[in-house]
Amino acid sequence: MASGEGSRNSAAVRVALLGCGTVGTEVVRLITGQADDLTARVGAPVELAGVAVRRPHKHPWLTENFGDLVTTDAGELVTRDDVDVVVEVIGGIEPVRGWLLEALKSGKSVVTANKALLAEDGPTLAEAADASGADLYYEAAVAGAIPLLRPLRESLAGDRITRVAGIVNGTSNFILSAMSAGGTSYADALEEATRLGYAEADPSADVDGYDAAAKAAILATLAFHTRITASDVHREGMREVSSADVAAARRLGCTIKLLAICERVVDASGAESVSSRVYPAMVPDTHPLAGVDGAFNAVFVEAEAAGQLMFYGQGAGGAPTASAVLGDLVAVARNRVGGGRGPRESAYASLPVRPIGEVPTRYHVDLEVADREGVLAGIAGEFARHGVSIAAVRQTGGVNGAVDGDSGQARLTVVTHSAPEAALSATVSALLDLDHVLGVAGVLRVEGLGRAVSALGMGE
Ligand code: NDP
Ligand code: HSE
């Protein structure tokens, strides 16, 4: 492999690109396809110094057009003296962490889309950047093309953010949208999301909520000036969401979305903490999040002075993500040309993490029950005994949705007022011990509501 070192333009900002898959290919296209514009915007040419991949034979376009830049030795590439900026779009924790630390320690700026690494060990990377005065930028790591991290870190730096919540995983949203529209199975929708380049290398990161949890950790860290890692985020994926759940949501005038929610919580004594969580939840069809389909993402940010802001756009895919990478690349290149450094995150607040058991949410509980006198009272009693207030109840006939008064069975749908997760879990366990409760068909959280309850005809 040729190193490309011989062609250095000493005035240029030289970029080592690690990875050239879905995102990296589009990064190469943007850097090389708009070279003159980038030069004008940065104040110096932006040149590729090298591109590291694992299997060059899988990259005919890259090797035909930029063969002299291609290397399989990413570790060597990041240490080269002619590299100013390392752009990492490989993914995963190791060996990438070592390469990025090496680059930052030697004063090279890093642009990365690697949310998994940032959510696991962002502080170590940030410390290495601080120690050498290098930039560490990662706009592409959360919500694809949507400019979200820079507004949190810079535009809203003078405000007090109270909540950041929304849809941050394109793959799971693509699958849920397909299931909701009908006619596409979970497996087919996941296959299509993978073909379109939305899914992670291991798509269980998408469907089991790990990717959204990593993004929630990054969002909460920036929003609340507190180091939050992926392990601080309560995580439930969407793999267990069934067609029956989707149908139940539709009956309530709701849509199921995988949500990431980060909140500043203030208790009665005035003590503050941070709650970060990811789970599938019912959202009323009238809520703007319900209309966010396919691989699109949308995030609401609430701040005391600004009020509510909504960020919406393509949350995954090669070109949209490369747009965010290029925005960061231009920013760090400008900083190098100007001799400065961009704003960094701060973690001065160090707020504690609130356990999920203490976080109040509303719930939709679908029960299969014996259809006889006293059953409803017994069930309501268990909710009351655990301090969970019922907002609405609806009974339908047969457990398969058919109205069949002779089956001896019925489906009971309960929507609760806000209750702590621990209280709801205890209620469900107790319900399962009742003779007349035949099964719990589904438990889903309900977010942003009012409407779903009135859809049951009961009001709040
Ligand atoms: P891909 O799997 O498409 O590409 C990964 C690239 O990394 C490939 O070119 C691969 O080379 C290369 N690579 C893997 N291991 C090594 C290694 N040891 N040395 C050198 N190169 C290596 O991933 P994506 O482009 O989809 O994602 C990249 C990153 O961007 C991930 O962190 C992901 O989470 C993030 N991201 C992705 C988005 C998307 O929509 N796809 C959106 C936002 C962020 P080879 O092909 O030769 O194996
Ligand atoms: N796999 C991720 C998603 C890519 O589907 O959202 C964008 O981060």
Side-chain angles (χ1 to χ4, degrees), residues 12 212 312:
Y312 170 82

Side-chain angles (χ1 to χ4, degrees), residues 19-22 25 51-65 70:
C20 197
T22 303
T25 301
V51 181
V53 294
R54 197 171 28 181
R55 303 161 299 174
H57 63 281
K58 296 272 186 186
H59 302 272
W61 173 80
L62 181 69
T63 48
E64 274 162 31
N65 293 287
V70 176

Side-chain angles (χ1 to χ4, degrees), residues 255-279:
T255 304
I256 298 176
K257 295 293 184 188
L258 185 72
L259 300 181
I261 300 172
C262 308
E263 284 173 327
R264 184 193 293 274
V265 183
V266 185
D267 71 16
S269 71
E272 289 193 354
S273 57
V274 171
S275 164
S276 300
R277 49 204 201 264
V278 166
Y279 44 62

Side-chain angles (χ1 to χ4, degrees), residues 14-309:
R14 302 265 294 169
V15 178
L17 178 64
L18 309 189
C20 197
T22 303
V23 179
T25 301
E26 298 304 322
V27 170
V28 173
R29 278 192 225 283
L30 289 177
I31 291 177
T32 56
Q34 49 179 6
D36 291 345
D37 286 327
L38 290 177
T39 302
R41 290 172 200 169
V42 167
V46 176
E47 289 177 357
L48 276 174
V51 181
V53 294
R54 197 171 28 181
R55 303 161 299 174
H57 63 281
K58 296 272 186 186
H59 302 272
W61 173 80
L62 181 69
T63 48
E64 274 162 31
N65 293 287
F66 307 97
D68 59 333
L69 297 179
V70 176
T71 176
T72 54
D73 193 346
E76 187 271 338
L77 179 58
V78 299
T79 61
R80 269 174 34 190
D81 288 340
D82 68 323
V83 167
D84 303 304
V85 178
V86 172
V87 173
E88 185 269 312
V89 282
I90 290 179
I93 309 297
E94 299 294 357
V96 171
R97 170 168 39 196
W99 295 333
L100 298 192
L101 283 173
E102 184 74 35
L104 289 166
K105 282 177 185 161
S106 62
K108 296 176 170 68
S109 296
V110 165
V111 172
T112 177
N114 192 335
K115 51 267 173 150
L117 175 56
L118 289 160
E120 166 142 332
D121 205 11
T124 306
L125 295 176
E127 280 158 23
D130 285 344
S132 71
D135 279 324
L136 171 64
Y137 276 47
Y138 45 89
E139 183 66 66
V142 182
I146 307 171
L148 178 60
L149 303 189
R150 195 166 283 123
L152 287 178
R153 190 175 46 210
E154 297 176 35
S155 319
L156 292 165
D159 207 337
R160 188 178 140 89
I161 296 172
T162 50
R163 195 169 199 255
V164 181
I167 296 165
V168 294
N169 182 264
T171 301
S172 56
N173 201 54
F174 184 90
I175 297 169
L176 287 169
S177 302
M179 287 170 71
S180 198
T184 309
S185 69
Y186 168 91
D188 287 348
L190 176 55
E191 194 179 315
E192 180 67 353
T194 303
R195 190 185 69 75
L196 292 168
Y198 303 149
E200 294 301 301
D202 175 359
S204 61
D206 297 293
V207 297
D208 291 332
Y210 291 99
D211 180 76
K215 290 165 174 168
I218 294 168
L219 291 170
T221 296
L222 289 176
F224 305 124
H225 305 279
T226 291
R227 295 247 184 259
I228 301 290
T229 64
S231 59
D232 295 321
V233 181
H234 173 81
R235 175 194 54 78
E236 294 170 34
M238 52 75 59
R239 199 194 284 266
E240 309 298 325
V241 174
S242 64
S243 309
D245 292 327
V246 171
R250 197 176 300 125
R251 283 195 296 277
L252 279 182
C254 289
T255 304
I256 298 176
K257 295 293 184 188
L258 185 72
L259 300 181
I261 300 172
C262 308
E263 284 173 327
R264 184 193 293 274
V265 183
V266 185
D267 71 16
S269 71
E272 289 193 354
S273 57
V274 171
S275 164
S276 300
R277 49 204 201 264
V278 166
Y279 44 62
M282 291 186 180
V283 176
D285 289 339
T286 49
H287 193 286
L289 287 178
V292 176
D293 285 331
F296 279 76
N297 286 184
V299 178
F300 283 91
V301 177
E302 290 170 26
E304 283 184 357
Q308 197 171 65
L309 306 163

Side-chain angles (χ1 to χ4, degrees), residues 439-459:
V440 177
V443 178
L444 271 171
R445 291 175 178 83
V446 189
E447 293 283 348
L449 285 203
R451 175 131 181 130
V453 173
S454 53
L456 285 168
M458 302 289 290

Side-chain angles (χ1 to χ4, degrees), residues 393-410:
V393 180
R394 181 170 66 183
Q395 178 173 332
T396 47
V399 289
N400 294 321
V403 178
D404 173 7
D406 297 333
S407 70
Q409 297 179 3

